[in-house]
Amino acid sequence: MRTAMGVWRWRRNPLRRTTDLIEAWVAFAALVSLLVLAPAAGCLAGLRVDATLQRAAQQQQQERQLVPAVVVRPAAGPPADAPQDPAAQHQGPRRSEVVAAWTAPDGSTHQGTVPAAQEPPRPGDRFRIWTDTAGRPVTRPLEPRTASVHAAVAGLATALGTAALTVTVRRLVVRRLTHERYRRLDRAWAAVGPDWGRTGADS
C-alpha cells in the first residue's frame, strides 16, 4: 500500500524527477510480483510436478510388486583390510546383504544379492522384496503422498526463487537509479559551482 501511494504521490508532484517516478513504479511492480506472480508461479510449478510424480507413482505401483524371497547365504563382504569410507561410517551401520532366491511375477526364478530383512540374516529366512515384472530387484514404489510432498516443496522453492529474483532485480534497478541521480547532481554542480556565491549570480 505504501508503494502504491508512492506512485500516486510522485504522479503529479512538480518536484519529482524521472528517476523518482521510475523507482516508484519499479517498487509497485515488485510488490505485485511478490503478492501475485510468485505465488502463481509456485502453484503452477507445484501442480506440474505433482502431476508428473503422480503419473510416475501410479506407473511404479503397477510395475513393481512384492514377491517372497528366501535367504540362501550371506553375501561376501569386503576384505577386513579394505579401506573404510569415512562418509559411510558417519551414516551408521549398513544393512547386511544376502544372496537370496525368489520367483518373479511372471513365474521365472531368480537369485541375487539384496539387502537383508533381518539382522543377523540366516539361511532359510523368508522375507519379501520389491521387483519389476521381469523379476529384477527395484526400490519401493513412490507413494502418492510422498509425491505430493515433493511437489509442494518444488512449488514452495519456485515461489521463493521468484520472490528472491524480484527483490534482487528491484535492488539492482534502484542502485542504478541512485547512481544516475548522483551523476546528474555532479553535472549540475559542475555547471553551477563556478558561479556559486558570486554577486549577481542566479544562485
Side-chain angles (χ1 to χ4, degrees), residues 16-36:
R16 71 168 173 82
R17 297 165 294 185
T18 302
T19 55
D20 295 328
L21 186 60
I22 294 176
E23 182 178 351
W25 279 110
V26 168
F28 181 77
L31 178 63
V32 173
S33 178
L34 291 175
L35 296 180
V36 178

Side-chain angles (χ1 to χ4, degrees), residues 5 17 27 64 101 107 114 131 144 146-147 166 176 187-189 192 196:
M5 293 301 297
R17 297 165 294 185
R64 303 182 183 186
V114 295
T131 69
T146 304
T166 299
R176 184 66 179 270
R187 289 197 298 267
W189 178 252
V192 177
W196 184 263

Side-chain angles (χ1 to χ4, degrees), residues 39-144:
C43 182
L44 181 60
L47 291 175
R48 289 187 175 181
V49 172
D50 185 65
T52 301
L53 292 181
Q54 292 298 339
R55 287 194 299 269
Q58 184 179 5
Q59 182 177 2
Q60 291 181 7
Q61 294 286 345
Q62 295 175 352
E63 296 178 349
R64 303 182 183 186
Q65 299 183 28
L66 275 173
V67 298
V70 179
V71 176
V72 177
R73 65 180 183 274
D81 57 350
Q84 298 294 328
D85 185 2
Q89 295 178 355
H90 290 291
Q91 294 176 356
R94 297 178 55 187
R95 293 175 58 186
S96 301
E97 292 185 338
V98 296
V99 176
W102 64 90
T103 301
D106 60 1
S108 59
T109 58
H110 299 265
Q111 183 171 303
T113 302
V114 295
Q118 299 178 3
E119 296 289 347
R122 296 182 298 271
D125 286 347
R126 295 182 178 274
F127 62 104
R128 295 195 299 172
I129 62 174
W130 287 99
T131 69
D132 59 13
T133 54
R136 292 184 294 266
V138 293
T139 58
R140 179 188 298 271
L142 180 64
E143 297 289 340

